[in-house]
Amino acid sequence: MNEPDQPRMSEPSKPPQGRVTRILLQWLMRPARIAGIEVLSPRFRSIALEGDALKDRAWTVGQKIQVAMGSGLSARTYTPMSWDAEKGRTTLLAFAHGSGPGSRWASSLQEGDMCWLFGPRRSLEPSAGEPPIVLFGDETSFGLASALRESRQAGGTIHVFEVSDAAEASPVLAAIGLASATLIARSAEDAHLAAVEAELLRFSASAHFVLTGKASSIQRISRALKAAGVATSRMRTKAYWAPGKTGLD
């Protein structure tokens, strides 16, 4: 049993006991404490991390952090929703789906737990063009969307998400300030992407597009936009996941 004054290290993020790995973790990664957990739905958690090692760290919208999971140096990637460099505090949105290390970590966390993280570092640079900006993604993109909403581009961002459960996603988005987002439910053989294309093509004349989430969805949407005359200079893409693959970001 942990002593009352000792922070608990959540199991999936516990530094391994191997001396070399332990040294590498301390050299490459930064310790942080779980300062707060807000359960937004059965599968979504808003998680606040804080610590002196997070202070005075430069962060921009779209950058990522990686949290150590299990043994070795394996990690899961998250896009912070915010970063307070003065207080040494960041907030991320965890989507616990399936039974992998990331889902176990998010579901088992308790306030006061410790974890190790790497970053922030580059991942996606949203378009610097004038609004409107159209962000397409899925449940893994909600954190980025929240961060973008808080940035100077907030007034001109349109959000379109493909989701597995709109009834769950809708209140989660409302809780992070994205109640006006358009949700399109996934359907068999990706038939719903025709509706996504139609929604995005309404803005093809002038919008800048940020395409995130599932790799195959991004590929199809980007082809449709290019066919409609949208220049690649008006598109930014970042695949967060693909079925059967890990480590995309």
Side-chain angles (χ1 to χ4, degrees):
M1 179 180 294
N2 293 324
E3 295 295 331
D5 58 348
Q6 293 295 317
R8 187 179 78 97
M9 182 65 71
S10 58
E11 184 63 27
S13 194
K14 181 178 180 180
Q17 297 304 311
R19 180 173 178 273
V20 173
T21 303
R22 195 163 58 240
I23 292 173
L24 286 173
L25 275 173
Q26 294 172 356
W27 181 47
L28 294 173
M29 293 188 164
R30 308 174 189 281
R33 184 180 71 87
I34 306 302
I37 305 168
E38 184 178 2
V39 179
L40 302 181
S41 80
R43 295 186 296 172
F44 284 91
R45 307 282 189 277
S46 175
I47 302 170
L49 310 176
E50 67 178 14
D52 290 341
L54 306 186
K55 293 181 178 179
D56 302 319
R57 303 298 303 175
W59 172 81
T60 59
V61 173
Q63 290 188 331
K64 66 185 177 182
I65 61 172
Q66 291 170 288
V67 180
M69 300 283 161
S71 62
L73 296 175
S74 63
R76 289 297 180 269
T77 302
Y78 298 93
T79 303
M81 295 190 289
S82 63
W83 195 291
D84 188 327
E86 182 177 350
K87 295 181 180 180
R89 186 181 179 97
T90 185
T91 304
L92 56 88
L93 184 67
F95 177 47
H97 61 101
S99 58
S103 294
R104 293 197 301 273
W105 178 75
S107 299
S108 66
L109 279 180
Q110 297 180 24
E111 189 170 334
D113 286 355
M114 298 297 295
C115 66
W116 293 81
L117 62 88
F118 179 56
R121 63 194 185 97
R122 292 179 61 184
S123 176
L124 172 69
E125 295 181 4
S127 173
E130 294 297 320
I133 293 175
V134 178
L135 172 64
F136 165 73
D138 59 17
E139 294 91 344
T140 64
S141 311
F142 290 178
L144 170 64
S146 177
L148 190 60
R149 183 186 68 85
E150 296 292 338
S151 76
R152 63 173 180 265
Q153 301 156 322
T157 305
I158 298 159
H159 305 93
V160 180
F161 299 111
E162 58 171 337
V163 296
S164 297
D165 187 342
E168 179 182 20
S170 183
V172 171
L173 289 168
I176 60 175
L178 297 169
S180 62
T182 297
L183 302 182
I184 297 176
R186 290 188 176 94
S187 59
E189 299 182 355
D190 286 340
H192 67 283
L193 290 179
V196 173
E197 291 175 356
E199 182 66 22
L200 268 59
L201 287 173
R202 296 196 301 116
F203 308 100
S204 61
S206 59
H208 287 251
F209 294 87
V210 180
L211 309 178
T212 63
K214 186 179 179 182
S216 60
S217 296
I218 292 171
Q219 292 167 358
R220 175 167 166 174
I221 298 301
S222 61
R223 285 196 300 267
L225 292 174
K226 290 176 183 177
V230 177
T232 55
S233 60
R234 286 200 281 135
M235 286 189 278
R236 299 287 187 275
T237 64
K238 174 59 68 172
Y240 290 147
W241 69 283
K245 295 184 179 181
T246 60
L248 288 185
D249 194 8

